[in-house]
Amino acid sequence: MNKMIEAPIPFLDLVTPHLELEEELVNVFRSAVKTAGFIGGHMVEGFESDFAEFSGTKYCIGVGSGTDALRFALIAAGIGQGDIVVTVPNTFIATTEAISQAGAIPDFVDVSDSTLNMDPEKLRLYLETRCVADKRGRLVHRQNGRPVTAVVPVHLYGRPAEMDPILRLAEEYNLKVIEDACQAHGAEYYSDREKTWKKAGSMGIAAAFSFYPGKNLGACGEAGAVTTNDETIAQRIRVIRDHGQAKKYYHDLEGYNGRLDAIQAGILRVKLKHLPEWNQARRQSAQIYGELLAGIEEIIAPVEPGWAKSVYHLYVVRSTRRDLLQESLQKQSIMTGLHYPLPLHLQKSYAGLGLNSGSFPVSERAASEVLSLPMWPGLNRNQQERIAKSIAEFFLGDSV
């Protein structure tokens, strides 16, 4: 008897949630058409107000993408030409693109083996051994004498970085902290310093969010935002995103065409109402995955430290047999992803930094092991059980 063909399990289902919200989303478009309100206006301002409140910040400035958001935040924070900005190699290239496009130079510290986010102790070691104060008291890199001015921790996979020690080091060394929260809409970090839970995007002087369609809060196209509690930074970004004009046709500086489209803002505002529910569904699915995969010794499941509430933009496991496992799952119509298969310091685009294999061993090892399993709010237990069963069978040798 032939084995029954099971329905494919996609890596991400973007169709169903849009069909469920179809009428509300179409109404956004109708409103824009009837008013010709395509740029700026009440839909953008309404979303900015709602997302600032959601993120626990005073200000939100809508922009064209997550990359715009991080680039504009760096520029508005005064990061200068040739400054060094420290981040991690285990992230999407948009993090370092934004740094370079702001005129700065990216440099790296490795990630923690348990969280795959910035390791605060490695940041401390970097600042203590690779940097020194110059005659003017500025922190500069020992080798090239360039000023080290900012840190960009990445809240990767929906899990916040360990912010308290990062912020303490930033204060000690007079560094600006700008969060890359592009995968962390609604994630929370328990700050022992403040004795409260803080939303991703509310802890640095500014933070960047992406609303790329596949994100926890996704537009129907490109979109992004900066959150901040600093009024000056907020105002600078409003000018930067709109050709450098604070008043129409009066340009204080050369800016960018980086505005958030009104239709996308309206769509995001509709979806934002559902985001807490969607994030909770992701957390429940993550818990189920953890239970189902617990007995498979060859799989390292993600951990959630007591100080973190992840929103599981991605559910990323690790295996030394990652490539063969992914191939096996694909044969069973279970789609997976790789986030990310080559760390940034080994990318051809950053060959000029002179960083070789072995420079950041945790990031390099993770790149060869990480596998993103299907994850979206509507993922059901039956699908997860099938995924876990297929993984278990692979390691038992039944599916190869």
Side-chain angles (χ1 to χ4, degrees):
M1 181 180 295
N2 292 332
K3 185 178 179 180
M4 184 177 66
I5 298 175
E6 297 183 275
I9 300 178
F11 175 64
L12 173 65
D13 178 9
L14 285 180
V15 175
T16 302
H18 288 97
L19 290 177
E20 291 172 349
L21 298 175
E22 182 176 2
E23 190 59 30
E24 287 185 86
L25 300 180
V26 170
N27 282 338
V28 170
F29 180 74
R30 289 193 182 108
S31 176
V33 169
K34 289 176 181 178
T35 63
F38 303 119
I39 303 294
H42 74 278
M43 285 201 286
V44 173
E45 293 166 1
F47 172 70
E48 289 175 336
S49 176
D50 289 351
F51 195 72
E53 181 179 359
F54 173 83
S55 301
T57 58
K58 293 180 180 178
Y59 309 101
C60 168
I61 308 94
V63 297
S65 68
T67 313
D68 278 350
L70 186 53
R71 178 171 66 249
F72 296 169
L74 289 161
I75 294 170
I79 304 306
Q81 190 74 27
D83 287 359
I84 290 177
V85 176
V86 184
T87 189
V88 292
N90 181 40
T91 182
F92 183 57
I93 195 171
T95 305
T96 43
E97 281 177 334
I99 293 169
S100 299
Q101 291 165 7
I105 300 168
D107 204 358
F108 302 106
V109 297
D110 212 347
V111 297
S112 162
D113 191 57
S114 60
T115 67
L116 299 186
N117 281 336
M118 181 177 282
D119 187 328
E121 286 306 308
K122 289 168 184 168
L123 176 60
R124 177 181 293 280
L125 186 64
Y126 175 96
L127 296 171
E128 289 178 347
T129 63
R130 300 182 65 185
C131 304
V132 66
D134 67 5
K135 293 180 180 179
R136 290 187 285 173
R138 299 181 309 166
L139 187 71
V140 299
H141 197 280
R142 288 181 182 273
Q143 288 186 328
N144 55 35
R146 294 186 180 277
V148 181
T149 59
V151 178
V152 177
V154 182
H155 305 312
L156 200 66
Y157 308 148
R159 178 170 46 205
E162 191 175 0
M163 291 299 294
D164 274 358
I166 293 172
L167 291 167
R168 279 194 293 267
L169 286 167
E171 291 169 3
E172 181 179 349
Y173 287 92
N174 194 29
L175 302 173
K176 296 171 181 176
V177 176
I178 298 172
E179 301 167 67
D180 183 336
C182 288
Q183 297 185 5
H185 318 69
E188 296 183 57
Y189 172 80
Y190 184 79
S191 171
D192 195 54
R193 300 201 310 171
E194 299 187 40
K195 306 299 180 186
T196 189
W197 287 94
K198 304 282 290 184
K199 285 282 188 71
S202 68
M203 293 171 280
I205 62 169
F209 286 89
S210 166
F211 304 122
Y212 186 77
K215 296 298 170 66
N216 290 37
L217 179 64
C220 294
E222 296 280 2
V226 179
T227 55
T228 183
N229 289 311
D230 188 308
E231 184 179 5
T232 300
I233 287 178
Q235 184 54 36
R236 285 174 182 166
I237 293 170
R238 291 189 186 102
V239 172
I240 291 167
R241 72 175 176 180
D242 193 19
H243 298 287
Q245 58 184 358
K247 180 181 178 182
K248 194 167 186 178
Y249 301 134
Y250 291 84
H251 305 270
D252 297 336
L253 49 86
E254 281 190 341
Y256 296 82
N257 181 3
R259 298 171 299 231
L260 172 61
D261 288 349
I263 290 174
Q264 298 299 344
I267 287 169
L268 289 167
R269 198 176 188 191
V270 167
K271 290 185 171 185
L272 182 58
K273 295 181 293 185
H274 301 273
L275 184 56
E277 173 190 346
W278 291 341
N279 281 345
Q280 183 57 31
R282 288 174 180 267
R283 288 180 57 79
Q284 290 172 350
S285 291
Q287 183 178 351
I288 292 169
Y289 265 137
E291 294 168 358
L292 294 173
L293 299 173
I296 306 175
E297 295 181 359
E298 295 87 349
I299 286 289
I300 301 174
V303 299
E304 186 172 81
W307 41 258
K309 289 182 182 177
S310 175
V311 291
Y312 292 96
H313 169 59
L314 298 168
Y315 189 88
V316 180
V317 300
R318 295 170 63 180
S319 169
T320 56
R321 299 176 65 191
R322 187 269 310 281
D323 292 342
L324 290 173
L325 174 59
Q326 184 180 40
E327 181 181 343
S328 175
L329 292 173
Q330 185 171 0
K331 287 178 180 177
Q332 299 173 73
S333 299
I334 298 171
M335 301 299 105
T336 58
L338 300 182
H339 300 88
Y340 297 95
L342 186 66
L344 294 183
H345 67 288
L346 299 180
Q347 297 281 353
K348 183 177 180 181
S349 52
Y350 292 112
L353 295 178
L355 297 167
N356 301 315
S357 180
S359 298
F360 304 102
V362 179
S363 293
E364 292 169 29
R365 184 168 63 252
S368 69
E369 296 177 350
V370 292
L371 182 66
S372 301
L373 301 184
M375 173 59 81
W376 70 89
L379 185 68
N380 64 57
R381 187 180 182 98
N382 287 340
Q383 290 170 315
Q384 291 185 269
E385 288 177 349
R386 179 180 153 201
I387 293 164
K389 182 174 182 290
S390 298
I391 293 172
E393 288 176 347
F394 168 80
F395 287 111
L396 288 172
D398 294 338
S399 61
V400 293

